[in-house]
Amino acid sequence: MRVSVVGGSRIGPEEEATAEAVGKLLAQRGHSVVCGGLGGVMEAACRGAKEASGTTVGVLPGEDPAAANEYVDVAVATGLSHARNALVVMNGDAVVAVDGGGGTLSEIGFSFVYRRPIAGLGTHDVEGVEACETPEEAVNYVESTVESASE
């Protein structure tokens, strides 16, 4: 399964640790991480995934694939700026949101448009986002929701 991990580009140590744990858990369970490819939550989730030998995809806002953080395996340059948020969500089977501002809120909105289950860790309090307390709870939620939808 591919899971889009979305969240703030400027984060504190707590959000960084949370995003890294999400990425690591996803990779340990055989899932790929899709993200916006830059810093903050995106970089932390990719770093966690790489620590567990996982695969990472960064859907970048600009035209230069080299702008991706060092933990991105596959960098996709779009030249779409924030409009690339739709592609980040569309290319995951589920979404985990960690923290975040307006860009993350747009990705939450696209999660509804593309009917992706979404787990939230300290993010926007929006109806339809499953509020989770731990990375394990978030990963369990997206796994069980995607699994039950495919049955």
Side-chain angles (χ1 to χ4, degrees):
M1 173 169 70
R2 295 177 300 178
V3 179
S4 300
V5 180
V6 302
S9 58
R10 286 181 232 118
I11 56 172
E14 185 177 327
E15 294 84 9
E16 183 177 9
T18 297
E20 189 170 336
V22 167
K24 188 172 190 173
L25 277 169
L26 289 169
Q28 287 172 336
R29 296 184 186 185
H31 309 304
S32 299
V33 170
V34 179
C35 69
L38 299 178
V41 165
M42 300 167 277
E43 183 172 0
C46 288
R47 184 173 53 248
K50 294 312 300 173
E51 286 174 11
S53 301
T55 301
T56 60
V57 178
V59 182
L60 300 163
E63 297 178 7
D64 183 6
N69 73 63
E70 65 181 291
Y71 306 102
V72 169
D73 293 316
V74 180
V76 180
T78 68
L80 294 173
S81 189
H82 288 289
R84 71 71 154 88
N85 292 354
L87 300 176
V88 172
V89 171
M90 187 185 342
N91 283 284
D93 300 302
V95 177
V96 176
V98 180
D99 185 55
T104 304
L105 187 56
S106 77
E107 290 165 318
I108 290 170
F110 284 121
S111 298
F112 299 136
V113 170
Y114 295 115
R115 297 186 191 120
R116 301 302 195 259
I118 180 165
L121 290 161
T123 193
H124 301 277
D125 183 17
V126 177
E127 185 177 337
V129 175
E130 181 70 21
C132 298
E133 297 296 321
T134 66
E136 293 84 2
E137 187 180 341
V139 172
N140 288 342
Y141 173 76
V142 296
E143 283 180 328
S144 65
T145 306
V146 169
E147 189 175 285
S148 66
S150 66
E151 293 176 347

